[in-house]
């Protein structure tokens, strides 16, 4: 292969590896902390889960359950759910890469 092409491929691979590390860093952030960053209100403890206000509808009483042990969230009213990266993606209507960078910063 041509030396310039090899350098480009190595650079691209290094960029992918750095992004993969950033994704892992973002996934390690506790989901309750993600909800707090999004301003979803003071959490109310209910068993193993905590409840916060859902950003997807007018929520007078907290209806979004956050399971810290599993790192997931679910809104009983909307039926939406996901992990700690999907929460800012959906709440702020941003792409995966942007949510990852935002969480990891």
């Amino acid at each position: 292969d041509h030396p310039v092409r090899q350098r480009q491929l190595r650079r691209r691979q290094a960029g992918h590896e750095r992004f993969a590390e950033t994704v892992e860093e973002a996934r390690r952030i506790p989901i309750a902390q993600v909800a707090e960053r999004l301003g979803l209100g003071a959490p109310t403890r209910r068993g193993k889960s905590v409840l916060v206000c859902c950003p997807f509808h007018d929520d007078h009483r907290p209806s979004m359950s956050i399971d810290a042990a599993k790192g997931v969230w679910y809104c009983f009213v909307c039926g939406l759910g996901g992990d700690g990266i999907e929460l800012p993606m959906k709440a702020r209507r941003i792409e995966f890469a942007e949510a990852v960078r935002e969480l990891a910063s």
Side-chain angles (χ1 to χ4, degrees), residues 28-59:
R28 284 192 296 270
I29 297 171
I31 193 159
Q33 186 177 343
V34 173
E36 185 179 322
R37 284 185 187 183
L38 290 171
L40 302 183
T44 305
R45 186 159 283 301
R46 190 175 101 190
K48 293 181 180 180
S49 299
V50 294
L51 295 176
V52 295
C53 291
C54 179
F56 308 114
H57 60 89
D58 192 18
D59 207 1

Side-chain angles (χ1 to χ4, degrees), residues 1-37:
D1 244 351
H2 195 272
V4 172
R5 175 115 172 98
Q6 288 177 344
R7 265 196 317 271
Q8 290 172 336
L9 290 173
R10 281 194 303 270
R11 226 178 288 140
R12 186 178 304 147
Q13 183 177 0
H16 289 306
E17 289 170 2
R18 281 192 301 275
F19 185 71
E21 290 170 8
T22 305
V23 170
E24 290 308 312
E25 184 180 330
R27 289 194 192 285
R28 284 192 296 270
I29 297 171
I31 193 159
Q33 186 177 343
V34 173
E36 185 179 322
R37 284 185 187 183

